[in-house]
Amino acid sequence: MARSTFSRLPPALPYATQVAIFSRFREANPHPVTELEYTNAFTLLVAVALSAQATDVGVNKATKSLFQRVSTPQEMLELGVEALTEQIKTIGLYRQKAKNVIALSRRLVEEYGGEVPQSRAALMTLPGVGRKTANVVLNSVFDFPAQAVDTHIFRVGNRTRIAPGRDVEEVERAIEDNVPVPFQQNAHHWLILHGRYICQARRPRCRICPIEDLCPYEEKTE
């Protein structure tokens, strides 16, 4: 789990600055979406579960043909763990992930009638599904303003002070507490894309950053 080096957290950016920042994100990308490719709630659940310690690009390559064959938990069970393992072997930790996907598919069939539950608590009982995965599904499929915090969002939240926190759950709460309501639904999409392509870990691209003048980060790059 990502954890901040701050012993004492700095305050989050003031409301007016948050509005200005997210207004710019919205202007540049009015309808942000996950970069994972999926066809329904189940395939997104599978894709996110597979994305741990893997890139979205890598997951999409592995699931492109898989999701042409499989779109329901029952079809995944019929595919079986061996065929699924072969299908996703280009992804890190693929053997364990294949076992988890088969196990969560079985749970969905046996306990939820083959449907993906619309509850974070229920989702997190599924094998291989943590809070981040559950929040991605709730946000992207069920339009709930859940904040799925990964390493990109953790970094951006602390570096910009949009949502400072010592760990991912504190950052998640800080987004909920500080980001204005009109931006909550898309906040985690904007933040992850900003972290992935602009506010990168080793060398943030400050010269092309759309919020450079609003960001308090002191070690800006030229």
Side-chain angles (χ1 to χ4, degrees):
M1 177 182 291
R3 191 164 187 86
S4 171
T5 57
F6 293 123
S7 58
R8 183 177 181 180
L9 288 175
L13 294 176
Y15 178 82
T17 307
Q18 300 268 9
V19 170
I21 285 173
F22 282 96
S23 294
R24 291 183 190 181
F25 286 156
R26 182 171 62 187
E27 182 178 0
N29 187 0
H31 305 291
V33 295
T34 177
E35 293 186 319
L36 289 170
E37 296 172 359
Y38 65 98
T39 59
N40 57 21
F42 173 68
T43 54
L44 178 60
L45 177 64
V46 171
V48 182
L50 294 177
S51 71
Q53 300 184 43
T55 65
D56 288 0
V57 172
V59 172
N60 289 339
K61 287 181 180 179
T63 59
K64 183 175 182 179
S65 59
L66 173 65
F67 291 161
Q68 291 175 350
R69 301 171 60 188
V70 173
S71 62
T72 68
Q74 184 60 48
E75 289 174 347
M76 188 67 76
L77 290 177
E78 292 170 1
L79 179 67
V81 68
E82 292 185 6
L84 177 59
T85 301
E86 180 66 22
Q87 187 76 48
I88 65 170
K89 65 181 181 180
T90 56
I91 301 174
L93 307 176
Y94 66 96
R95 295 186 188 278
Q96 184 59 50
K97 289 178 180 178
K99 293 177 182 177
N100 286 340
V101 168
I102 294 299
L104 73 83
S105 298
R106 182 172 294 106
R107 182 81 63 81
L108 290 175
V109 169
E110 293 177 352
E111 298 186 19
Y112 297 100
E115 299 293 327
V116 175
Q118 299 183 39
S119 156
R120 182 186 290 120
L123 286 166
M124 290 177 64
T125 67
L126 301 174
V129 176
R131 189 178 183 89
K132 186 189 79 170
T133 297
N135 283 348
V136 171
V137 173
L138 292 173
N139 183 290
S140 297
V141 177
F142 301 122
D143 296 325
F144 181 78
Q147 308 301 331
V149 178
D150 68 352
T151 56
H152 294 299
I153 296 178
F154 180 81
R155 178 178 65 255
V156 172
N158 279 291
R159 183 181 279 172
T160 64
R161 285 182 30 215
I162 288 172
R166 295 180 184 85
D167 54 39
V168 293
E169 291 191 7
E170 281 194 7
V171 171
E172 179 182 332
R173 290 195 297 272
I175 295 172
E176 294 171 348
D177 290 345
N178 295 289
V179 174
V181 169
F183 305 106
Q184 285 277 333
Q185 179 63 43
N186 292 319
H188 99 271
H189 291 299
W190 284 318
L191 292 172
I192 194 172
L193 293 171
H194 189 66
R196 186 172 289 167
Y197 298 111
I198 303 294
C199 197
Q200 297 170 335
R202 294 185 178 179
R203 187 171 177 82
R205 305 173 69 191
C206 298
R207 286 181 67 103
I208 64 170
C209 176
I211 63 168
E212 189 273 339
D213 59 314
L214 301 172
C215 173
Y217 182 58
E218 295 181 354
E219 301 176 26
K220 290 188 171 69
T221 58
E222 294 297 326

